[in-house]
Each structure stands twice: as C-alpha cells, then as structure tokens.
Amino acid sequence: MTKDTSMTKENPFEALTPDFILDAVESRGFYSDGRAIALNSYENRVLQIGIEDATPVIAKFYRPNRWTKEQILEEHAYCFELTEQELPVVAPIITQGESLFQYQGYYCALFERKGGHAPELDNLDNLFTLGRFLGRIHRVGQAKEYHHRPALTPQTYGHDSIDYIIEHALPAEVKMPYESIARDLMNLVDERWQRAGQQRNIRVHGDCHVGNILWRDDNPHFVDLDDSRMAPAVQDIWMLLSGEREQQQKQLMEIIEGYQEFCDFNVAELQLVECLRTLRMIYHSAWLARRWHDPAFKFAFPYFGSVQYWQEQILDLRVQFAELQEAPVSLPNY
C-alpha cells in the first residue's frame, strides 16, 4: 500500500511512513519481514530493513533537493572504484541494473549491512592502519575529478555559511560579536590557505570521523560517503587527531607513515588543519540553521538558535582564533 508522497519544506520526509519505506525496498525485489530500525542520520533518512530469510539491508532515502542525481551517481561511482580495488568501503547494491532509484519522489539506495565498532584512536597501531587505507583510498581519489559535486573551500564552507547565519539565524543580541569574530577568523583562514600554496584537490571521503568508520577483523570499514567532494587530502586526516599538540603529532606521524606506503602526502597541507577545523565549526552552525524546518532537527538539537547557543559559539570561535595564530601541527621527520 502507498500513500500521498507530497513533501513540504517544513517536513521533507513526512511521506516516509513505515508502509512507504517497506514498499520502496520491496520494489527492488527485497521482501521485508516487517522490521525497520531507524539509524542515526539527520541529513538523510537511513533505516535497517529486515529481509525474509536473509541478512537485513540498509535503505537510504536522500534528502530532497540536496544533491542532484548526477552528484549522487558521482559518489556511487567513486565507491565502486574503491571496492574494485578491494578497499573496505560500503558501496550501494546494484538492483535492476542501477545503484540509485527513485520511488515516488525520493532518491533511494540500498546497502549491505556491515557490523563493527568505532576504532580506538588512542591506539597508534590503529592509526597506522587507518593511514594505510586512506592512502589507498586517496590514490584512487586522485585518478579522476568530480565534475558535479562541489569543492570544500573557504568560500563554500566559511564565507557562504557566515552570510547565511547572519541573514537567517542570529538573534539581534549576538549579531555584532558573532559576525566580528567569524569575519576575523575567516581572514586568518584565507591567509593560511594562501600560505599553504596551491593544494591539489582530490576526491575524498569528506566526513571521515569515527562515526563513519566501523572497525572489524582488525581493519576499518568506511561508510557514508554522502559528503564526498573535492578537497585537500588532509580533510580525511585531521578529524582523526585529538588531544594536545604533542599527542596530535604522534598520531599524525603514525597516520602519515601508513599513508605514504601507498600515496604521497603534501606536508604543506598541515597548515590547513586548524583552517579546516574552523570551517567545520562555522559550517555546522549554518547546516543546523538551514535544516531547522525539519522536525527531526528541532527534536535532536533543541538548544540550537538560543542566545546562549550563539554565545557559546562565540567563545569557541575565539579559542579557535588563538589556535589559528599558533604554529601549525608538523611532522619533524618530513
């Protein structure tokens, strides 16, 4: 049975009733046992669907009007290139000759369910292993370019995000201090980005944090390339670093040692680590503001938009301003 699939800006996923979800999956030849478990995803809707006498599958319903069909298929093509090289990336399942299908207004893809746990990033051996796999992934990523997906740049992640926040999200009480620190930060980001020289943007995972890495059988399995785009290689590395500077340097040395077994790393990109952290902080607030019409965001982030939220953001950005004026993390042996 199906229902009206009209979607509104206020709730773009309102048509995703249990019956609708199971009908979409069954339209691709998988017969559900009726079980559907929502997984942790805000940008899209991702569910584990029980299949009769078979392993469950993961169904992903893409947020309407976020990616074009061409942009989604570019990401899928990259996943297939990676799996062809026997890399542990979870790629979409081909059904009826295609990896992406449309069901009553929604783009959908199905994936094998893969188990695992978050990697222990305080284990240097794990970081070395992650570096080796990232080196292999980036070696494939360098072979071609995205033509439809956007690039990660100070303009797209930073300046554009600040403009949106100022116009649509900031309470009057904090507009001046937020805009002041954010603009000052972006001046530093722009300066350091230029100082790092001409980077070679490649296809990257784009959101390579522990939540998108499943550790199983002593190896990582990379999931959710939804944010994949053209960016400097270090974008897939910096989110694996944590702690004080000395600790980060030890972590970085392990990652890069493994990485360079398969792919050269441009050490000049290390000047971008705090730039990328800054851009992620600003972009995250703009992302919440852009998605605030979605009821799931109001439920998950009730604190967002309050004066106190923005006051804390201002404090965090001031800390980041100080970090950007420090010498970047480095590799003594390179």
Side-chain angles (χ1 to χ4, degrees):
M1 65 187 78
T2 58
K3 297 188 178 184
D4 177 27
T5 60
S6 60
M7 60 189 79
T8 66
K9 181 178 179 181
E10 287 71 29
N11 187 355
F13 292 108
E14 64 183 349
L16 297 189
T17 64
D19 285 340
F20 181 95
I21 291 164
L22 298 183
D23 287 350
V25 173
E26 292 187 351
S27 74
R28 310 309 286 183
F30 292 89
Y31 297 99
S32 170
D33 61 13
R35 294 176 298 162
I37 302 172
L39 303 181
N40 186 26
S41 176
Y42 298 111
E43 186 64 18
N44 305 297
R45 293 296 181 265
V46 182
L47 304 100
Q48 177 178 294
I49 308 297
I51 303 300
E52 289 185 0
D53 303 320
T55 302
V57 298
I58 304 301
K60 177 178 181 178
F61 294 84
Y62 290 85
R63 177 173 292 274
N65 304 315
R66 185 192 181 212
W67 296 123
T68 65
K69 180 179 180 180
E70 292 77 15
Q71 288 170 329
I72 297 172
L73 289 176
E74 272 196 324
E75 177 233 317
H76 287 192
Y78 183 32
C79 287
F80 293 131
E81 289 175 51
L82 295 170
T83 55
E84 286 171 4
Q85 298 299 317
E86 299 183 346
L87 281 157
V89 171
V90 180
I93 299 170
I94 300 290
T95 61
Q96 301 175 21
E98 56 188 359
S99 62
L100 181 71
F101 64 98
Q102 196 167 26
Y103 187 80
Q104 299 193 26
Y106 290 92
Y107 283 122
C108 313
L110 302 177
F111 300 81
E112 292 183 25
R113 185 193 67 175
K114 296 289 186 181
H117 57 84
E120 298 176 2
L121 297 185
D122 56 352
N123 183 320
L124 295 181
D125 290 337
N126 288 356
L127 291 173
F128 178 81
T129 300
L130 282 166
R132 295 180 83 247
F133 279 104
L134 284 175
R136 293 178 62 194
I137 288 171
H138 286 180
R139 186 171 181 177
V140 176
Q142 293 176 352
K144 297 179 182 178
E145 294 184 355
Y146 282 140
H147 297 289
H148 299 286
R149 287 191 154 241
L152 192 166
T153 67
Q155 183 65 46
T156 58
Y157 259 50
H159 294 290
D160 291 349
S161 295
I162 293 170
D163 290 344
Y164 188 89
I165 289 169
I166 291 169
E167 184 175 352
H168 297 283
L170 278 179
E173 301 95 310
V174 293
K175 186 172 182 179
M176 184 178 296
Y178 182 88
E179 181 173 9
S180 176
I181 185 61
R183 299 293 190 199
D184 288 346
L185 262 173
M186 287 308 303
N187 287 336
L188 286 179
V189 168
D190 290 338
E191 289 174 12
R192 183 165 285 186
W193 206 274
Q194 293 177 1
R195 200 185 313 155
Q198 186 66 36
Q199 305 91 34
R200 179 187 179 188
N201 282 356
I202 65 171
R203 293 176 297 174
V204 299
H205 182 292
D207 197 23
C208 194
H209 58 75
V210 292
N212 285 332
I213 303 172
L214 299 175
W215 200 264
R216 189 175 75 252
D217 302 326
D218 295 324
N219 281 312
H221 292 73
F222 297 86
V223 301
D224 192 10
L225 273 73
D226 194 62
D227 281 306
S228 182
R229 60 194 67 218
M230 300 295 290
V234 74
Q235 168 63 14
D236 281 350
I237 294 173
W238 76 265
M239 277 185 274
L240 303 177
L241 307 178
S242 61
E244 300 297 326
R245 179 173 296 266
E246 182 179 349
Q247 184 179 357
Q248 289 188 36
Q249 287 189 313
K250 290 179 181 178
Q251 296 164 349
L252 188 61
M253 288 179 67
E254 291 295 329
I255 295 169
I256 299 304
E257 184 177 350
Y259 186 98
Q260 297 218 121
E261 288 188 5
F262 297 96
C263 190
D264 290 336
F265 178 73
N266 178 9
V267 294
E269 289 188 10
L270 294 180
Q271 297 184 55
L272 303 181
V273 169
E274 293 304 325
C275 295
L276 291 165
R277 195 188 312 277
T278 302
L279 294 176
R280 186 175 178 85
M281 292 168 66
I282 295 171
Y283 184 83
H284 180 75
S285 290
W287 174 66
L288 293 176
R290 290 186 174 106
R291 299 292 181 255
W292 198 238
H293 57 268
D294 185 332
F297 279 72
K298 289 183 171 69
F299 179 79
F301 306 98
Y303 190 47
F304 173 75
S306 66
V307 170
Q308 187 175 355
Y309 169 86
W310 291 108
Q311 288 173 337
E312 291 181 0
Q313 288 298 303
I314 291 167
L315 290 175
D316 289 342
L317 293 180
R318 286 174 177 164
V319 171
Q320 195 60 20
F321 186 84
E323 289 289 340
L324 271 170
Q325 295 181 85
E326 298 290 331
V329 66
S330 61
L331 290 173
N333 296 330
Y334 289 87

PDB file of all heavy atoms in Angstrom, residues 285-309:
ATOM      1  N   SER A 285      27.097  25.135  12.217  1.00  0.00           N
ATOM      2  CA  SER A 285      26.029  26.041  12.653  1.00  0.00           C
ATOM      3  C   SER A 285      25.134  26.435  11.487  1.00  0.00           C
ATOM      4  O   SER A 285      23.906  26.508  11.633  1.00  0.00           O
ATOM      5  CB  SER A 285      26.624  27.288  13.307  1.00  0.00           C
ATOM      6  OG  SER A 285      27.212  26.986  14.557  1.00  0.00           O
ATOM      7  N   ALA A 286      25.733  26.686  10.333  1.00  0.00           N
ATOM      8  CA  ALA A 286      24.925  27.037   9.160  1.00  0.00           C
ATOM      9  C   ALA A 286      24.073  25.849   8.719  1.00  0.00           C
ATOM     10  O   ALA A 286      22.924  26.028   8.286  1.00  0.00           O
ATOM     11  CB  ALA A 286      25.836  27.494   8.026  1.00  0.00           C
ATOM     12  N   TRP A 287      24.619  24.652   8.824  1.00  0.00           N
ATOM     13  CA  TRP A 287      23.868  23.430   8.480  1.00  0.00           C
ATOM     14  C   TRP A 287      22.633  23.292   9.359  1.00  0.00           C
ATOM     15  O   TRP A 287      21.529  23.031   8.861  1.00  0.00           O
ATOM     16  CB  TRP A 287      24.795  22.229   8.637  1.00  0.00           C
ATOM     17  CG  TRP A 287      24.153  20.890   8.459  1.00  0.00           C
ATOM     18  CD1 TRP A 287      23.614  20.384   7.307  1.00  0.00           C
ATOM     19  CD2 TRP A 287      24.014  19.874   9.457  1.00  0.00           C
ATOM     20  NE1 TRP A 287      23.136  19.107   7.528  1.00  0.00           N
ATOM     21  CE2 TRP A 287      23.373  18.774   8.841  1.00  0.00           C
ATOM     22  CE3 TRP A 287      24.382  19.774  10.795  1.00  0.00           C
ATOM     23  CZ2 TRP A 287      23.086  17.592   9.524  1.00  0.00           C
ATOM     24  CZ3 TRP A 287      24.100  18.605  11.477  1.00  0.00           C
ATOM     25  CH2 TRP A 287      23.457  17.528  10.857  1.00  0.00           C
ATOM     26  N   LEU A 288      22.810  23.496  10.679  1.00  0.00           N
ATOM     27  CA  LEU A 288      21.662  23.439  11.575  1.00  0.00           C
ATOM     28  C   LEU A 288      20.629  24.501  11.206  1.00  0.00           C
ATOM     29  O   LEU A 288      19.416  24.240  11.209  1.00  0.00           O
ATOM     30  CB  LEU A 288      22.116  23.622  13.021  1.00  0.00           C
ATOM     31  CG  LEU A 288      22.967  22.501  13.627  1.00  0.00           C
ATOM     32  CD1 LEU A 288      23.414  22.884  15.028  1.00  0.00           C
ATOM     33  CD2 LEU A 288      22.195  21.188  13.658  1.00  0.00           C
ATOM     34  N   ALA A 289      21.092  25.690  10.883  1.00  0.00           N
ATOM     35  CA  ALA A 289      20.164  26.765  10.522  1.00  0.00           C
ATOM     36  C   ALA A 289      19.404  26.424   9.235  1.00  0.00           C
ATOM     37  O   ALA A 289      18.194  26.676   9.135  1.00  0.00           O
ATOM     38  CB  ALA A 289      20.928  28.073  10.358  1.00  0.00           C
ATOM     39  N   ARG A 290      20.101  25.849   8.276  1.00  0.00           N
ATOM     40  CA  ARG A 290      19.448  25.508   7.006  1.00  0.00           C
ATOM     41  C   ARG A 290      18.442  24.374   7.158  1.00  0.00           C
ATOM     42  O   ARG A 290      17.497  24.266   6.370  1.00  0.00           O
ATOM     43  CB  ARG A 290      20.515  25.117   5.969  1.00  0.00           C
ATOM     44  CG  ARG A 290      21.378  26.268   5.478  1.00  0.00           C
ATOM     45  CD  ARG A 290      22.301  25.814   4.367  1.00  0.00           C
ATOM     46  NE  ARG A 290      23.041  26.921   3.781  1.00  0.00           N
ATOM     47  CZ  ARG A 290      24.334  27.157   4.001  1.00  0.00           C
ATOM     48  NH1 ARG A 290      25.030  26.358   4.806  1.00  0.00           N
ATOM     49  NH2 ARG A 290      24.937  28.183   3.442  1.00  0.00           N
ATOM     50  N   ARG A 291      18.631  23.529   8.153  1.00  0.00           N
ATOM     51  CA  ARG A 291      17.768  22.356   8.332  1.00  0.00           C
ATOM     52  C   ARG A 291      16.730  22.554   9.434  1.00  0.00           C
ATOM     53  O   ARG A 291      16.022  21.627   9.786  1.00  0.00           O
ATOM     54  CB  ARG A 291      18.617  21.125   8.664  1.00  0.00           C
ATOM     55  CG  ARG A 291      19.615  20.745   7.581  1.00  0.00           C
ATOM     56  CD  ARG A 291      18.898  20.255   6.333  1.00  0.00           C
ATOM     57  NE  ARG A 291      19.844  19.859   5.309  1.00  0.00           N
ATOM     58  CZ  ARG A 291      20.111  20.564   4.219  1.00  0.00           C
ATOM     59  NH1 ARG A 291      19.488  21.721   4.020  1.00  0.00           N
ATOM     60  NH2 ARG A 291      20.980  20.131   3.323  1.00  0.00           N
ATOM     61  N   TRP A 292      16.639  23.749   9.960  1.00  0.00           N
ATOM     62  CA  TRP A 292      15.820  23.954  11.154  1.00  0.00           C
ATOM     63  C   TRP A 292      14.327  23.733  10.912  1.00  0.00           C
ATOM     64  O   TRP A 292      13.559  23.517  11.838  1.00  0.00           O
ATOM     65  CB  TRP A 292      16.071  25.351  11.735  1.00  0.00           C
ATOM     66  CG  TRP A 292      15.621  25.486  13.155  1.00  0.00           C
ATOM     67  CD1 TRP A 292      14.723  26.383  13.661  1.00  0.00           C
ATOM     68  CD2 TRP A 292      16.046  24.694  14.272  1.00  0.00           C
ATOM     69  NE1 TRP A 292      14.571  26.194  15.017  1.00  0.00           N
ATOM     70  CE2 TRP A 292      15.369  25.154  15.415  1.00  0.00           C
ATOM     71  CE3 TRP A 292      16.926  23.616  14.406  1.00  0.00           C
ATOM     72  CZ2 TRP A 292      15.543  24.605  16.677  1.00  0.00           C
ATOM     73  CZ3 TRP A 292      17.104  23.059  15.663  1.00  0.00           C
ATOM     74  CH2 TRP A 292      16.423  23.547  16.774  1.00  0.00           C
ATOM     75  N   HIS A 293      13.904  23.770   9.655  1.00  0.00           N
ATOM     76  CA  HIS A 293      12.496  23.494   9.353  1.00  0.00           C
ATOM     77  C   HIS A 293      12.158  22.014   9.506  1.00  0.00           C
ATOM     78  O   HIS A 293      10.988  21.651   9.586  1.00  0.00           O
ATOM     79  CB  HIS A 293      12.171  23.942   7.918  1.00  0.00           C
ATOM     80  CG  HIS A 293      13.048  23.296   6.890  1.00  0.00           C
ATOM     81  ND1 HIS A 293      14.223  23.874   6.452  1.00  0.00           N
ATOM     82  CD2 HIS A 293      12.937  22.130   6.224  1.00  0.00           C
ATOM     83  CE1 HIS A 293      14.789  23.085   5.553  1.00  0.00           C
ATOM     84  NE2 HIS A 293      14.032  22.014   5.402  1.00  0.00           N
ATOM     85  N   ASP A 294      13.175  21.147   9.537  1.00  0.00           N
ATOM     86  CA  ASP A 294      12.961  19.698   9.662  1.00  0.00           C
ATOM     87  C   ASP A 294      12.682  19.371  11.129  1.00  0.00           C
ATOM     88  O   ASP A 294      13.516  19.641  12.000  1.00  0.00           O
ATOM     89  CB  ASP A 294      14.214  18.970   9.171  1.00  0.00           C
ATOM     90  CG  ASP A 294      14.053  17.450   9.137  1.00  0.00           C
ATOM     91  OD1 ASP A 294      13.262  16.915   9.936  1.00  0.00           O
ATOM     92  OD2 ASP A 294      14.741  16.808   8.333  1.00  0.00           O
ATOM     93  N   PRO A 295      11.541  18.783  11.463  1.00  0.00           N
ATOM     94  CA  PRO A 295      11.218  18.486  12.866  1.00  0.00           C
ATOM     95  C   PRO A 295      12.267  17.629  13.566  1.00  0.00           C
ATOM     96  O   PRO A 295      12.452  17.748  14.776  1.00  0.00           O
ATOM     97  CB  PRO A 295       9.880  17.743  12.762  1.00  0.00           C
ATOM     98  CG  PRO A 295       9.284  18.197  11.480  1.00  0.00           C
ATOM     99  CD  PRO A 295      10.440  18.423  10.552  1.00  0.00           C
ATOM    100  N   ALA A 296      12.964  16.771  12.832  1.00  0.00           N
ATOM    101  CA  ALA A 296      13.987  15.931  13.453  1.00  0.00           C
ATOM    102  C   ALA A 296      15.113  16.778  14.039  1.00  0.00           C
ATOM    103  O   ALA A 296      15.718  16.409  15.051  1.00  0.00           O
ATOM    104  CB  ALA A 296      14.549  14.939  12.426  1.00  0.00           C
ATOM    105  N   PHE A 297      15.411  17.904  13.413  1.00  0.00           N
ATOM    106  CA  PHE A 297      16.475  18.776  13.915  1.00  0.00           C
ATOM    107  C   PHE A 297      16.018  19.508  15.170  1.00  0.00           C
ATOM    108  O   PHE A 297      16.789  19.680  16.110  1.00  0.00           O
ATOM    109  CB  PHE A 297      16.911  19.758  12.835  1.00  0.00           C
ATOM    110  CG  PHE A 297      17.874  19.169  11.849  1.00  0.00           C
ATOM    111  CD1 PHE A 297      17.452  18.239  10.914  1.00  0.00           C
ATOM    112  CD2 PHE A 297      19.211  19.520  11.860  1.00  0.00           C
ATOM    113  CE1 PHE A 297      18.333  17.673  10.014  1.00  0.00           C
ATOM    114  CE2 PHE A 297      20.112  18.971  10.970  1.00  0.00           C
ATOM    115  CZ  PHE A 297      19.672  18.035  10.045  1.00  0.00           C
ATOM    116  N   LYS A 298      14.786  19.941  15.180  1.00  0.00           N
ATOM    117  CA  LYS A 298      14.272  20.608  16.383  1.00  0.00           C
ATOM    118  C   LYS A 298      14.286  19.661  17.578  1.00  0.00           C
ATOM    119  O   LYS A 298      14.551  20.066  18.705  1.00  0.00           O
ATOM    120  CB  LYS A 298      12.860  21.122  16.130  1.00  0.00           C
ATOM    121  CG  LYS A 298      12.774  22.308  15.182  1.00  0.00           C
ATOM    122  CD  LYS A 298      11.344  22.790  15.048  1.00  0.00           C
ATOM    123  CE  LYS A 298      11.263  24.100  14.273  1.00  0.00           C
ATOM    124  NZ  LYS A 298      11.593  23.944  12.860  1.00  0.00           N
ATOM    125  N   PHE A 299      14.005  18.390  17.327  1.00  0.00           N
ATOM    126  CA  PHE A 299      14.000  17.394  18.404  1.00  0.00           C
ATOM    127  C   PHE A 299      15.420  17.067  18.860  1.00  0.00           C
ATOM    128  O   PHE A 299      15.687  16.946  20.052  1.00  0.00           O
ATOM    129  CB  PHE A 299      13.294  16.124  17.933  1.00  0.00           C
ATOM    130  CG  PHE A 299      13.254  15.030  18.963  1.00  0.00           C
ATOM    131  CD1 PHE A 299      12.335  15.059  19.996  1.00  0.00           C
ATOM    132  CD2 PHE A 299      14.159  13.971  18.902  1.00  0.00           C
ATOM    133  CE1 PHE A 299      12.311  14.058  20.955  1.00  0.00           C
ATOM    134  CE2 PHE A 299      14.141  12.970  19.849  1.00  0.00           C
ATOM    135  CZ  PHE A 299      13.204  13.015  20.887  1.00  0.00           C
ATOM    136  N   ALA A 300      16.338  16.911  17.910  1.00  0.00           N
ATOM    137  CA  ALA A 300      17.704  16.480  18.234  1.00  0.00           C
ATOM    138  C   ALA A 300      18.577  17.618  18.753  1.00  0.00           C
ATOM    139  O   ALA A 300      19.514  17.389  19.518  1.00  0.00           O
ATOM    140  CB  ALA A 300      18.357  15.846  17.007  1.00  0.00           C
ATOM    141  N   PHE A 301      18.291  18.855  18.327  1.00  0.00           N
ATOM    142  CA  PHE A 301      19.127  19.999  18.702  1.00  0.00           C
ATOM    143  C   PHE A 301      18.263  21.119  19.289  1.00  0.00           C
ATOM    144  O   PHE A 301      18.246  22.241  18.756  1.00  0.00           O
ATOM    145  CB  PHE A 301      19.906  20.512  17.488  1.00  0.00           C
ATOM    146  CG  PHE A 301      20.711  19.465  16.771  1.00  0.00           C
ATOM    147  CD1 PHE A 301      20.214  18.853  15.627  1.00  0.00           C
ATOM    148  CD2 PHE A 301      21.960  19.084  17.241  1.00  0.00           C
ATOM    149  CE1 PHE A 301      20.950  17.881  14.960  1.00  0.00           C
ATOM    150  CE2 PHE A 301      22.702  18.114  16.584  1.00  0.00           C
ATOM    151  CZ  PHE A 301      22.200  17.506  15.438  1.00  0.00           C
ATOM    152  N   PRO A 302      17.555  20.853  20.369  1.00  0.00           N
ATOM    153  CA  PRO A 302      16.631  21.864  20.918  1.00  0.00           C
ATOM    154  C   PRO A 302      17.326  23.131  21.388  1.00  0.00           C
ATOM    155  O   PRO A 302      16.707  24.194  21.487  1.00  0.00           O
ATOM    156  CB  PRO A 302      15.959  21.132  22.088  1.00  0.00           C
ATOM    157  CG  PRO A 302      16.941  20.064  22.480  1.00  0.00           C
ATOM    158  CD  PRO A 302      17.573  19.624  21.193  1.00  0.00           C
ATOM    159  N   TYR A 303      18.615  23.024  21.651  1.00  0.00           N
ATOM    160  CA  TYR A 303      19.395  24.134  22.186  1.00  0.00           C
ATOM    161  C   TYR A 303      19.798  25.126  21.098  1.00  0.00           C
ATOM    162  O   TYR A 303      20.121  26.271  21.369  1.00  0.00           O
ATOM    163  CB  TYR A 303      20.635  23.515  22.839  1.00  0.00           C
ATOM    164  CG  TYR A 303      21.480  24.426  23.662  1.00  0.00           C
ATOM    165  CD1 TYR A 303      20.921  25.276  24.607  1.00  0.00           C
ATOM    166  CD2 TYR A 303      22.864  24.436  23.510  1.00  0.00           C
ATOM    167  CE1 TYR A 303      21.710  26.102  25.381  1.00  0.00           C
ATOM    168  CE2 TYR A 303      23.665  25.255  24.280  1.00  0.00           C
ATOM    169  CZ  TYR A 303      23.086  26.089  25.210  1.00  0.00           C
ATOM    170  OH  TYR A 303      23.863  26.913  25.971  1.00  0.00           O
ATOM    171  N   PHE A 304      19.762  24.652  19.836  1.00  0.00           N
ATOM    172  CA  PHE A 304      20.238  25.485  18.734  1.00  0.00           C
ATOM    173  C   PHE A 304      19.371  26.738  18.600  1.00  0.00           C
ATOM    174  O   PHE A 304      18.157  26.715  18.742  1.00  0.00           O
ATOM    175  CB  PHE A 304      20.212  24.725  17.415  1.00  0.00           C
ATOM    176  CG  PHE A 304      20.540  25.593  16.232  1.00  0.00           C
ATOM    177  CD1 PHE A 304      21.843  25.979  15.986  1.00  0.00           C
ATOM    178  CD2 PHE A 304      19.537  26.062  15.400  1.00  0.00           C
ATOM    179  CE1 PHE A 304      22.151  26.806  14.917  1.00  0.00           C
ATOM    180  CE2 PHE A 304      19.832  26.886  14.326  1.00  0.00           C
ATOM    181  CZ  PHE A 304      21.144  27.253  14.086  1.00  0.00           C
ATOM    182  N   GLY A 305      20.017  27.846  18.247  1.00  0.00           N
ATOM    183  CA  GLY A 305      19.316  29.076  17.946  1.00  0.00           C
ATOM    184  C   GLY A 305      19.101  29.997  19.118  1.00  0.00           C
ATOM    185  O   GLY A 305      18.777  31.174  18.933  1.00  0.00           O
ATOM    186  N   SER A 306      19.282  29.469  20.335  1.00  0.00           N
ATOM    187  CA  SER A 306      19.113  30.314  21.510  1.00  0.00           C
ATOM    188  C   SER A 306      20.286  31.286  21.624  1.00  0.00           C
ATOM    189  O   SER A 306      21.362  31.071  21.061  1.00  0.00           O
ATOM    190  CB  SER A 306      19.028  29.457  22.772  1.00  0.00           C
ATOM    191  OG  SER A 306      20.266  28.798  23.011  1.00  0.00           O
ATOM    192  N   VAL A 307      20.085  32.359  22.373  1.00  0.00           N
ATOM    193  CA  VAL A 307      21.168  33.318  22.602  1.00  0.00           C
ATOM    194  C   VAL A 307      22.348  32.617  23.260  1.00  0.00           C
ATOM    195  O   VAL A 307      23.515  32.875  22.914  1.00  0.00           O
ATOM    196  CB  VAL A 307      20.666  34.489  23.471  1.00  0.00           C
ATOM    197  CG1 VAL A 307      21.838  35.371  23.915  1.00  0.00           C
ATOM    198  CG2 VAL A 307      19.652  35.318  22.699  1.00  0.00           C
ATOM    199  N   GLN A 308      22.059  31.706  24.183  1.00  0.00           N
ATOM    200  CA  GLN A 308      23.143  31.002  24.870  1.00  0.00           C
ATOM    201  C   GLN A 308      23.945  30.141  23.898  1.00  0.00           C
ATOM    202  O   GLN A 308      25.177  30.050  24.000  1.00  0.00           O
ATOM    203  CB  GLN A 308      22.594  30.136  25.997  1.00  0.00           C
ATOM    204  CG  GLN A 308      23.688  29.522  26.863  1.00  0.00           C
ATOM    205  CD  GLN A 308      23.133  28.767  28.060  1.00  0.00           C
ATOM    206  OE1 GLN A 308      21.927  28.783  28.304  1.00  0.00           O
ATOM    207  NE2 GLN A 308      24.004  28.103  28.793  1.00  0.00           N
ATOM    208  N   TYR A 309      23.259  29.490  22.946  1.00  0.00           N
ATOM    209  CA  TYR A 309      23.973  28.694  21.934  1.00  0.00           C
ATOM    210  C   TYR A 309      24.982  29.573  21.206  1.00  0.00           C
ATOM    211  O   TYR A 309      26.149  29.208  21.044  1.00  0.00           O
ATOM    212  CB  TYR A 309      22.983  28.086  20.934  1.00  0.00           C
ATOM    213  CG  TYR A 309      23.675  27.476  19.731  1.00  0.00           C
ATOM    214  CD1 TYR A 309      24.132  26.165  19.760  1.00  0.00           C
ATOM    215  CD2 TYR A 309      23.901  28.219  18.561  1.00  0.00           C
ATOM    216  CE1 TYR A 309      24.777  25.602  18.658  1.00  0.00           C
ATOM    217  CE2 TYR A 309      24.542  27.669  17.461  1.00  0.00           C
ATOM    218  CZ  TYR A 309      24.985  26.363  17.522  1.00  0.00           C
ATOM    219  OH  TYR A 309      25.652  25.820  16.435  1.00  0.00           O
TER     220      TYR A 309
END
